[in-house]
Amino acid sequence: FDTAIIVSNDNTYIPVRFYTRRFFIFIQILFPPIKNGTRVSEIEEQKFIEEFILFLKKEKLAQRIMNPFINDVYKVKPNASISCEIGSYFVDLTIPEEDIFKKFQKRYQRAIRAIEASPGISIKEGADCFTDFYSIYNETMQSEGKIAESFDTLQKLCKLLSDSNSLCVVAYENNIPQASLLVAYSRYGAYLLYGGTSKNTSSRDIK
């Protein structure tokens, strides 16, 4: 796939990526419209999306707009589009870590504390653990009957984002991968894009 930034006349922009499948080109919006470093208003978003669709048709850049990442919850929807209401968890990371922890359900708090006290638990991050990350992610998608992104696609995504804007993390128990996640981040926020938990994990309460 190829990535690009689409910029309007008033400097509103969105990052997108293009996929080629046989004779068809698909485009996926990676993040809602941004202007001056923040998300635009609902009215501005509606105007931008409609103009964006007309631009794609005029320039014949793609035949279909793919659904965005799950973290992209838009304020509006394009006219005549197929859509559904979804939600994303939002966590304010500027507050103390202990205050965030207190908001978890009690069973998750107990599970996390138990894992922290367990011997043989380790956490690794970076490109060296990408293969283990993908193994867990792919296993999770298969068990849920969903289509997983390919190994090469996610590896290329990490390279494009670089270590400055992506984080690959894997949790191990006695050097056996138990859970993994891939996070994209910037000064604006961090987004959990992909992840999973091994079906063989001994810590099932934390799934």
Side-chain angles (χ1 to χ4, degrees), residues 34 36 38-39 42 52 89 94 121 127 137 144 163 165 179 184 206:
I34 296 292
N36 297 325
T38 59
R39 289 188 59 172
E42 182 174 335
F52 171 68
Y89 290 105
T94 63
I121 299 296
Y137 157 71
E144 295 180 357
D163 292 340
N165 294 103
I206 201 61

Side-chain angles (χ1 to χ4, degrees), residues 18-134:
F18 293 89
Y19 294 87
T20 301
R21 295 290 184 271
R22 295 186 178 180
F23 305 108
F24 300 98
I25 299 176
F26 301 89
I27 188 171
Q28 182 180 46
I29 299 174
L30 302 180
F31 197 82
I34 296 292
K35 184 177 182 180
N36 297 325
T38 59
R39 289 188 59 172
V40 299
S41 67
E42 182 174 335
I43 295 176
E44 291 174 314
E45 186 172 288
Q46 181 76 55
K47 178 176 180 292
F48 180 88
I49 293 297
E50 298 298 339
E51 291 179 350
F52 171 68
I53 293 174
L54 292 175
F55 171 73
L56 291 179
K57 290 181 177 180
K58 179 181 178 181
E59 300 297 329
K60 299 180 179 179
L61 295 178
Q63 284 76 43
R64 181 177 179 181
I65 300 176
M66 296 175 60
N67 57 300
F69 287 126
I70 192 64
N71 60 280
D72 291 338
V73 181
Y74 290 84
K75 301 173 184 177
V76 299
K77 62 179 180 180
N79 292 328
S81 66
I82 298 174
S83 63
C84 66
E85 293 187 1
I86 60 174
S88 288
Y89 290 105
F90 175 82
V91 180
D92 183 359
L93 299 179
T94 63
I95 65 177
E97 183 177 317
E98 195 60 33
D99 290 342
I100 297 175
F101 184 77
K102 290 178 181 178
K103 294 182 179 181
F104 291 0
Q105 293 182 23
K106 294 297 183 181
R107 69 187 185 96
Y108 288 125
Q109 293 185 28
R110 290 193 296 270
I112 292 172
R113 292 305 189 201
I115 290 173
E116 290 179 333
S118 299
I121 299 296
S122 62
I123 296 178
K124 299 179 182 179
E125 61 182 66
D128 291 343
C129 63
F130 182 84
T131 298
D132 288 338
F133 150 75
Y134 186 83

